[in-house]
Amino acid sequence: MTDKIAFITGATSGFGRAAARRFAEAGWSLVLTGRRTERLEALQGELGVPTHIVTLDVRDADAVKQAVAELPEPFRAVTCLVNNAGLALAPEKAQDVDLADWHTMIDTNCTGLVNVTHALINSLIAIGQGASIVNIGSVAGSWPYPGSHVYGATKAFVRQFSLSLRCDLLGTGVRVTDIEPGMAETEFTLVRTKGNQAASDALYGSTTPLTAEDIAEQIFYVATLPAHININRLEIMPTRQAWAGFAVDRD
């Protein structure tokens, strides 16, 4: 074991899995959670550092509390919480969306993040200087686009919650960062379109999106800065992505 422990939610794919690998490269011990046990076990087997895995749905507050309460002693002093678990669903217009998809996004991206943060916040305060909470937001929280509806709203929540948490944690030494990626090629679009590989290929094709490893590097960066530095909000886009103009309805 080392004196550095990262607790990463949604570690079975994308940014979470890449972050686990990046922290492991630096010798951190890890607590990894996700809903797919076989993926957690495979990741645990490859990392080469002390790793505790928990099959967990962050939407279940009681399960989150239990997972944290039952952490083995060597994994209790969490130094960095990476709130990565989240998803986008329903790229259709709001008027065409299944309400259940909206609820799933709210329950995962907002309630799940709050559940995990609340369960670990006092442990992080006990660590004090150098402890970090890294929340994964999105450019969708600042820049609306057609089909972003509740997904964008949940990421705006992540941004505001992160900033407000900074206020409450002032004086504790615990840092809070909202990392807001733009276009990044992961399983994101496959999940959003419920397995439509063609839609995923069309979104990321003929351009150069960010990778999961790009975002993992930034997560690691903000978590390992000198203890007196806090990056409040980090918005990251690929060079080949920018903003479009206003949409206008014309006759």
Side-chain angles (χ1 to χ4, degrees):
M1 293 293 298
T2 72
D3 61 352
K4 299 289 187 181
I5 302 169
F7 188 115
I8 303 173
T9 67
T12 55
S13 65
F15 303 149
R17 182 168 60 190
R21 289 169 173 159
R22 182 63 186 90
F23 279 94
E25 285 177 8
W28 286 51
S29 300
L30 298 168
V31 178
L32 306 179
T33 81
R35 292 184 297 167
R36 291 171 285 189
T37 305
E38 70 285 353
R39 287 199 179 191
L40 287 173
E41 291 173 346
L43 185 58
Q44 181 184 38
E46 78 171 61
L47 292 177
V49 296
T51 303
H52 176 68
I53 60 173
V54 185
T55 303
L56 180 67
D57 186 337
V58 296
R59 296 175 294 179
D60 185 337
D62 290 337
V64 170
K65 289 179 183 177
Q66 182 177 351
V68 171
E70 294 179 354
L71 285 175
E73 184 62 36
F75 293 93
R76 287 183 174 276
V78 173
T79 314
C80 176
L81 166 60
V82 181
N83 275 314
N84 169 73
L87 79 169
L89 296 171
E92 304 85 8
K93 290 183 178 180
Q95 56 267 38
D96 299 323
V97 168
D98 185 335
L99 180 60
D101 286 340
W102 277 3
H103 285 171
T104 297
M105 287 187 281
I106 293 167
D107 292 345
T108 306
N109 300 354
C110 300
T111 305
L113 181 147
V114 166
N115 288 342
V116 180
T117 302
H118 190 269
L120 281 168
I121 194 166
N122 286 319
S123 296
L124 290 159
I125 291 171
I127 296 295
Q129 290 291 324
S132 302
I133 299 171
V134 183
N135 296 326
I136 305 301
S138 169
V139 296
S142 300
W143 310 107
Y145 59 85
S148 66
H149 40 76
V150 164
Y151 174 67
T154 64
K155 293 305 184 177
F157 170 87
V158 173
R159 181 185 67 242
Q160 193 62 31
F161 179 68
S162 300
L163 294 173
S164 298
L165 202 55
R166 280 273 288 126
C167 296
D168 291 339
L169 291 174
L170 183 65
T172 67
V174 180
R175 304 177 288 194
V176 185
T177 299
D178 174 27
I179 292 185
E180 303 179 355
M183 180 186 288
E185 186 170 8
T186 64
E187 295 178 15
F188 175 88
T189 300
L190 283 176
V191 172
R192 190 172 204 183
T193 61
K194 300 183 178 178
N196 188 335
Q197 185 65 56
S200 181
D201 293 343
L203 178 62
Y204 303 120
S206 303
T207 189
T208 311
L210 299 170
T211 67
E213 290 72 25
D214 293 331
I215 302 305
E217 190 63 39
Q218 299 310 309
I219 295 170
F220 183 76
Y221 166 70
V222 302
T224 55
L225 284 167
H228 69 287
I229 301 175
N230 190 105
I231 304 295
N232 297 325
R233 178 171 167 263
L234 186 57
E235 182 180 282
I236 311 164
M237 286 185 176
T239 306
R240 300 182 71 181
Q241 181 184 24
W243 306 272
F246 286 106
V248 178
D249 178 36
R250 301 184 187 280
D251 293 333

